[in-house]
Amino acid sequence: MALVESQLHVDVPLAEAWVASSVPIVGHLEPVQTEPWASVYRATLAAGIVWFKACAPHRAFEVPLTASLSARWPTTVAEVLAYDVDRRWLLTADAGEPFRELGNPPERWLDVLPAYARLQIGEIDHAADHLDVGVPDLRLAQLPERYDELLAAELPLAPSETAAVAALGQRFSDLCAELESHGIGATVQHDDLHMNNVYVKDGALRVLDWGDASISHPFFSLFETFRFLTEMNRLSPGDPWFGRLRDAYLEPWGPGHLETFDLALRIAGLAHAIAWLDQRDALPVRDRPDFDMGFGGILRVALRTASDTLSS
């Protein structure tokens, strides 16, 4: 996805003073990444670095969500050193290097996915708390109505592709109800679980950047994991790695979830597209053409993964 000009203003001197009140930084905050939804800065310590993140108003939930997850799952989520909910500021310890730098090795996901699944299982009991702090509600019961919003939007697709999205509407609604009947509770769903957001340092693997998260069906998470392995690692759809990773993820959930996982993954792309629509709506109109380049790609992948099941 192309970056667009940020609409988020950060008072850097004030932020720098806030960071310095928590850790002994050397020098000044260094801008690293500026996007419409967040700005990220690096701060140097005498030994090591820390990371400051300022979230946009529509991503304010990322601060309390990350803080609560870090407190309960300190070996799975980045260590939160300080946070300010009102100013939407987050300070985290360095988590090392992303899987991207390692070539996104599928074997490393065998370690990440069970730990992530255990986090999701544990967070089922906290789903209502996350909704209370503004984590988006994409529970299965909400998705058919949200799908109508997707259909009403001006999608960056060819007319035939837009018609295909419309044709899936009722079947999508029916299968959301079927998936809910399988009894897996709604929980935190990262929705951006790929090689850029899982980090390794001294053997510790951590999931970062929870700004795309929602409360939804947990199995939707692997849509992005698998998409990146397909597009970046060039794994074919039938590659045995997908089955191995699915099984590693499902192991903490217990036996008997293969059918549920298959159904969830087939409709996960459309749920992911609904979440992207929310991101798009938060952008100024002039910035949407750049965003739509990535959005169109997501919609096409969602159509491919959904059509065989939903149209049958």
Side-chain angles (χ1 to χ4, degrees), residues 143-152 165-166 168-169 172 270 274:
L143 288 180
E145 182 177 345
R146 298 302 313 279
Y147 198 82
D148 290 340
E149 295 176 24
L150 189 69
L151 296 179
V165 175
L168 295 176
F172 174 78
L270 295 170
I274 290 169

Side-chain angles (χ1 to χ4, degrees), residues 145-267:
E145 182 177 345
R146 298 302 313 279
Y147 198 82
D148 290 340
E149 295 176 24
L150 189 69
L151 296 179
E154 186 176 343
L155 300 178
L157 295 173
S160 61
E161 294 169 323
T162 301
V165 175
L168 295 176
Q170 183 57 53
R171 188 66 176 136
F172 174 78
S173 178
D174 293 342
L175 288 174
C176 284
E178 180 183 342
L179 182 58
E180 187 159 34
S181 74
H182 287 212
I184 299 293
T187 186
V188 65
Q189 199 278 93
H190 188 280
D191 211 38
D192 208 22
L193 192 65
H194 54 64
M195 65 183 187
N196 296 325
N197 291 328
V198 177
Y199 282 65
V200 57
K201 182 179 182 182
D202 299 329
L205 302 170
R206 288 185 167 88
V207 180
L208 276 63
D209 293 339
W210 293 82
D212 289 292
S214 63
I215 300 303
S216 190
H217 196 285
F219 295 0
F220 287 170
S221 294
L222 269 68
F223 172 79
E224 279 291 86
T225 310
F226 286 3
R227 182 173 75 87
F228 271 70
L229 286 167
T230 299
E231 296 180 3
M232 303 302 174
N233 294 66
R234 303 299 182 187
L235 297 187
S236 64
D239 193 288
W241 269 114
F242 292 116
R244 291 184 65 187
L245 296 176
R246 174 203 63 203
D247 293 346
Y249 171 74
L250 288 178
E251 191 277 332
W253 294 93
H257 295 301
L258 291 179
E259 181 182 350
T260 305
F261 182 88
D262 182 65
L263 175 57
L265 201 62
R266 294 288 184 174
I267 64 176

Side-chain angles (χ1 to χ4, degrees), residues 60-110:
F61 69 85
E62 183 178 359
V63 174
L65 173 63
T66 304
S68 63
L69 293 179
S70 178
R72 286 191 287 269
W73 307 95
T75 62
T76 306
V77 179
E79 179 186 1
V80 173
L81 303 173
Y83 66 99
D84 186 317
V85 172
D86 293 335
R87 290 189 283 198
R88 307 183 305 279
W89 288 355
L90 192 61
L91 181 67
T92 58
D94 183 50
E97 59 181 342
F99 273 14
R100 178 189 67 248
E101 300 298 328
L102 306 177
N104 196 31
E107 61 271 18
R108 298 310 300 266
W109 285 98
L110 291 172

